[in-house]
Amino acid sequence: MLKTGTSQHLVTVTIDSLRLGDTAVDVTVTDRAGAPIDHAAVQVQAIQPLMGHAGAPISAAANGSGRFHAPAVSLMMTGPWELHLSIDAHNGIDQITLPLWVGG
């Protein structure tokens, strides 16, 4: 589980597996006071910066209580990755980058 935040949001990210292949990514978004943000557009994109690989941004489906689910984010090789999140809660777009390490 990874936790981060911006000036507008607190974000928790849970990744099903940090192994090669497709993995589910769950994102929870709240405001800075901890109230769930339900009406947002959340996109998840996996990027391998050393090799220039990037998957297409995936729209995460809203599951209520500020939770969003992307069922299949592709991690195509081992090594360092970045998980880019885009959160559009209709008051500006937050961009968040989280470092990941993918094993075999």
Side-chain angles (χ1 to χ4, degrees), residues 4-102:
T4 189
T6 68
S7 61
Q8 296 182 57
H9 301 108
L10 298 175
V11 179
T12 301
V13 177
T14 304
I15 301 166
D16 188 44
S17 172
L18 285 174
R19 300 262 179 222
L20 287 175
D22 290 346
T23 189
V25 175
D26 291 294
V27 180
T28 302
V29 181
T30 68
D31 64 17
R32 296 296 298 177
I37 302 293
D38 288 329
H39 303 291
V42 175
Q43 289 193 330
V44 179
Q45 182 180 28
I47 297 174
Q48 210 293 341
L50 296 178
M51 299 300 289
H53 295 305
I58 297 170
S59 293
N63 288 334
S65 297
R67 294 186 314 262
F68 300 84
H69 180 74
V73 175
S74 184
L75 302 172
M76 302 169 269
M77 63 187 304
T78 60
W81 282 78
E82 294 177 349
L83 192 65
H84 288 222
L85 303 175
S86 173
I87 301 167
D88 183 354
H90 312 297
N91 56 348
I93 298 174
D94 274 344
Q95 301 286 338
I96 299 170
T97 300
L98 298 166
L100 302 176
W101 186 270
V102 176

